[in-house]
Amino acid sequence: MPASQPRSRARDRNNVLNRAEFLSLNQPLKGNQESRSSSRKQSGQAGAAGAQNSNPKERRQSQQLPEEDCMQLNPSFKGIAFNSLLAIDICMSKRLGVCANTASSWGSARSMINLLGITGHGIPWIAGTLICLVKSSTLAGQEVLMNLLLALLLDIMIVAGLQKLAKRKGPYDVNPGLLDYLTMDTYAFPAGHASRAAMLSKFFLNHLVLAIPLRILLVIWALCVGFSRVMIGRHHITDVLSGFVFGYLQFRLVELIWMPSNTCQMLISIW
């Protein structure tokens, strides 16, 4: 026994794994184990607390997310058709906006196109109607002019209300002019100039005796005023087309509420 003890001690001294730098390979340090176990316990407790604090609504929402994703990835046929038509409308409107700025292909003609758009603005038409109403001396002329003034005021209010509801912006970042702010024509849908031009052309075709060339020129003027707004980048094509439709509907509305001559004379006398 005394001889075997020195031999075992010498064997332990000669063992490389018994050195201090290799002790961690044989048995991990207690401090590391305690720190790791404490961190695991803390993370587990935090996860449990988070799971307990989560509301039932959030759990239901997390369960419904895959279904919502499936609905977004599989839209209906109407949604696909609407988005496709909307993309085509935006693309074609940007291509036709040849006078949107001075750097465009027709940038030099922008002032002339703006002048054409002013001929369909509400403020010049209202001012001209009031001047003609003051100078008119016939009952028939005053009746037509009073109803025309009513149609112009209705057009401004209806278009402004629809634009506030839709709040659609134009294809280009073009700031509205001073006259546009006066008539609250700041959004794109529907095109106020197009609705006004369509309403005026239909009104004049029904209540004025015009030769055939003048009637054709009146229709061409309404079309040019409408599509000039696309050329300067203020409206989309669908905005102008919808403006034509709303202009015709406004004309029909004025025909339904047409003020007779007695009513017009009473309003003129009050004014």
Side-chain angles (χ1 to χ4, degrees), residues 93-211:
S93 301
K94 286 190 174 184
R95 287 190 177 184
L96 291 176
V98 293
C99 301
N101 47 56
T102 55
S104 301
S105 56
W106 288 16
S108 58
R110 180 177 172 81
S111 58
M112 184 178 65
I113 300 299
N114 278 326
L115 183 62
L116 179 61
I118 291 175
T119 60
H121 205 279
I123 298 298
W125 277 102
I126 291 175
T129 303
L130 290 174
I131 292 172
C132 294
L133 187 60
V134 170
K135 294 185 176 182
S136 178
S137 58
T138 61
L139 295 178
Q142 291 176 355
E143 179 182 352
V144 172
L145 289 171
M146 281 296 297
N147 284 278
L148 177 60
L149 182 62
L150 174 64
L152 290 170
L153 294 176
L154 283 176
D155 174 75
I156 290 176
M157 291 187 293
I158 291 173
V159 170
L162 291 173
Q163 287 187 357
K164 290 294 183 181
L165 289 175
K167 291 185 178 181
R168 187 187 188 188
K169 295 185 178 180
Y172 289 93
D173 190 11
V174 179
N175 295 324
L178 178 61
L179 294 178
D180 295 330
Y181 280 110
L182 291 176
T183 55
M184 296 174 289
D185 187 10
T186 55
Y187 291 100
F189 180 88
H193 289 69
S195 66
R196 196 169 302 110
M199 184 269 296
L200 288 171
S201 61
K202 185 64 177 174
F203 188 93
F204 290 150
L205 289 174
N206 275 42
H207 297 286
L208 294 181
V209 180
L210 300 174

Side-chain angles (χ1 to χ4, degrees), residues 5-256:
Q5 288 181 357
R7 291 178 184 175
S8 61
R9 291 175 182 174
R11 196 181 303 115
D12 293 337
R13 285 195 302 268
N14 294 329
N15 191 1
V16 178
L17 297 177
N18 290 329
R19 295 180 183 179
E21 59 267 24
F22 295 107
L23 287 176
S24 60
L25 297 177
N26 294 328
Q27 50 183 0
L29 297 176
K30 295 181 180 181
N32 293 335
Q33 288 181 349
E34 292 176 356
S35 61
R36 290 175 184 174
S37 61
S38 61
S39 62
R40 289 175 184 174
K41 290 180 181 179
Q42 290 176 359
S43 61
Q45 290 176 357
Q52 292 176 358
N53 294 331
S54 60
N55 296 327
K57 293 182 179 180
E58 295 179 356
R59 294 177 184 173
R60 286 196 296 269
Q61 289 179 357
S62 63
Q63 293 175 358
Q64 292 176 358
L65 281 177
E67 296 179 0
E68 294 176 357
D69 293 340
C70 292
M71 291 175 64
Q72 292 177 358
L73 293 174
N74 298 290
S76 62
F77 176 76
K78 292 182 179 180
I80 294 174
F82 178 77
N83 291 331
S84 300
L85 292 176
L86 188 63
I88 293 172
D89 178 34
I90 295 173
C91 180
M92 293 299 296
S93 301
K94 286 190 174 184
R95 287 190 177 184
L96 291 176
V98 293
C99 301
N101 47 56
T102 55
S104 301
S105 56
W106 288 16
S108 58
R110 180 177 172 81
S111 58
M112 184 178 65
I113 300 299
N114 278 326
L115 183 62
L116 179 61
I118 291 175
T119 60
H121 205 279
I123 298 298
W125 277 102
I126 291 175
T129 303
L130 290 174
I131 292 172
C132 294
L133 187 60
V134 170
K135 294 185 176 182
S136 178
S137 58
T138 61
L139 295 178
Q142 291 176 355
E143 179 182 352
V144 172
L145 289 171
M146 281 296 297
N147 284 278
L148 177 60
L149 182 62
L150 174 64
L152 290 170
L153 294 176
L154 283 176
D155 174 75
I156 290 176
M157 291 187 293
I158 291 173
V159 170
L162 291 173
Q163 287 187 357
K164 290 294 183 181
L165 289 175
K167 291 185 178 181
R168 187 187 188 188
K169 295 185 178 180
Y172 289 93
D173 190 11
V174 179
N175 295 324
L178 178 61
L179 294 178
D180 295 330
Y181 280 110
L182 291 176
T183 55
M184 296 174 289
D185 187 10
T186 55
Y187 291 100
F189 180 88
H193 289 69
S195 66
R196 196 169 302 110
M199 184 269 296
L200 288 171
S201 61
K202 185 64 177 174
F203 188 93
F204 290 150
L205 289 174
N206 275 42
H207 297 286
L208 294 181
V209 180
L210 300 174
I212 293 178
L214 290 178
R215 297 171 75 89
I216 295 174
L217 287 176
L218 191 60
V219 175
I220 294 174
W221 167 79
L223 294 174
C224 290
V225 168
F227 285 101
S228 68
R229 308 299 290 173
V230 180
M231 296 177 66
I232 65 172
R234 282 279 285 116
H235 296 280
H236 300 87
I237 298 175
T238 52
D239 300 334
V240 173
L241 295 178
S242 62
F244 289 149
V245 174
F246 282 115
Y248 176 77
L249 294 177
Q250 289 165 9
F251 164 76
R252 299 301 301 174
L253 177 62
V254 172
E255 291 291 311
L256 290 175

